[in-house]
Amino acid sequence: MILILGSVYDDILYFDTQLKKRREETFKDHFKIVFGELYGQNVVLAYNIFTNYMSSVVTTYLISKYDVIAVINVGSVRCLEDFKDGDIVYSETLFLGDCDVSLFEKVKIGQVPSYPQIFTGNSYFNNLINSYSSKFIISNVKKGNFISLNKELSSIDQLKDIRNNKIILGYSKDFVFDTIYGGVSIASQTFNVPSICLKVVISPLKDKVTTLERIRCIKEYANVGKIISAIILEIGRKDTLTVDTLN
């Protein structure tokens, strides 16, 4: 089974409209879960997820209960000056921006004990993203460094704990910010299930999100859907997927 999750229904709408044998469930009276078949693969869609705490719980629950072989996180992100609204960004690296247990454990800022400080994007999936975006002539697909937090950011000033001038943890460009992929990555690595993140930039962090930007973002979800659909077909050609075999 392949897990696709997002924050709101619009994030997973493209996939839901194409499901066969569709059925719905609700987990913990809040999280919406949809099961079905997509391109010959069993798929579960999850939404109503807004923080890393929530995404970690849902991802852990679904991986534990079902035979999940890959986790795909879709939706929208905010950015700094390196991207523009409408860009589609996949994760080269991931950092947990509001995690700091260094006072109690011998770990670095942003690091959960027993996990890396900075997660690296899955090379197998990222190569497929590049390949299919080129094949479909989708020119606005770019790699980025994800910072995942449990709160939506509204200004650059909120980054003061992890930012020094224009540098964040040794990186100086290609940043996007979300509130889900961190929890997904922790759960996926715990169970040795590969994950992928492919999201649309809705607006720069310094600006308020406008209605026009929301509409443009939703339109780009169709291109995200095309790429992910091609990847799902590719997954169907393999018996098993693991972090070890795909990195």
Side-chain angles (χ1 to χ4, degrees), residues 15-232:
F15 307 101
D16 193 12
T17 57
Q18 301 184 58
L19 284 183
K20 297 179 179 179
K21 299 181 181 179
R22 184 184 187 278
R23 62 183 178 87
E24 292 186 14
E25 288 184 8
T26 302
F27 171 57
K28 290 292 184 181
D29 299 322
H30 176 80
F31 306 112
K32 302 297 182 181
I33 301 173
V34 182
F35 296 88
E37 290 184 3
L38 187 63
Y39 313 119
Q41 295 292 309
N42 290 324
V43 171
V44 54
L45 311 176
Y47 63 102
N48 267 11
I49 304 168
F50 303 103
T51 68
N52 283 322
Y53 303 127
M54 298 165 77
S55 66
S56 180
V57 168
V58 173
T59 304
T60 296
Y61 166 73
L62 291 171
I63 289 177
S64 299
K65 188 170 182 179
Y66 301 99
D67 186 21
V68 172
I69 61 171
V71 182
I72 302 171
N73 185 201
V74 295
S76 64
V77 290
R78 304 292 294 274
C79 70
L80 293 181
E81 64 272 9
D82 304 295
F83 299 101
K84 62 180 184 296
D85 51 292
D87 282 343
I88 299 172
V89 184
Y90 64 88
S91 57
E92 182 175 42
T93 64
L94 165 73
F95 172 76
L96 301 175
D98 53 5
C99 175
D100 186 3
V101 294
S102 58
L103 183 64
F104 310 101
E105 299 277 352
K106 292 182 179 180
V107 294
K108 300 177 180 178
I109 183 172
Q111 184 177 12
V112 175
S114 301
Y115 293 85
Q117 181 192 27
I118 297 177
F119 292 81
T120 303
N122 185 281
S123 58
Y124 172 79
F125 281 135
N126 286 352
N127 288 336
L128 287 179
I129 290 172
N130 282 320
S131 175
Y132 286 118
S133 61
S134 178
K135 181 178 180 179
F136 299 146
I137 316 178
I138 303 173
S139 60
N140 57 330
V141 176
K142 304 172 182 178
K143 64 183 178 182
N145 300 305
F146 278 63
I147 293 183
S148 198
L149 309 103
N150 281 293
K151 61 183 178 182
E152 289 283 353
L153 296 177
S154 58
S155 73
I156 296 176
D157 293 339
Q158 292 173 278
L159 298 175
K160 62 179 182 298
D161 292 336
I162 57 175
R163 188 170 186 262
N164 181 15
N165 295 320
K166 293 185 177 180
I167 298 177
I168 303 175
L169 292 173
Y171 293 92
S172 60
K173 61 179 182 177
D174 300 337
F175 284 105
V176 291
F177 303 86
D178 90 325
T179 61
I180 294 181
Y181 191 46
V184 170
S185 296
I186 289 288
S188 296
Q189 185 158 117
T190 299
F191 292 93
N192 203 35
V193 175
S195 66
I196 179 176
C197 188
L198 187 62
K199 297 194 174 185
V200 179
V201 173
I202 191 169
S203 76
L205 189 56
K206 61 183 178 180
D207 301 323
K208 290 184 179 180
V209 179
T210 66
T211 301
L212 181 61
E213 286 169 334
R214 292 186 188 280
I215 293 172
R216 185 181 293 119
C217 177
I218 291 173
K219 286 182 177 179
E220 286 298 329
Y221 283 176
N223 283 330
V224 172
K226 290 177 185 177
I227 296 170
I228 296 300
S229 296
I231 291 174
I232 290 174

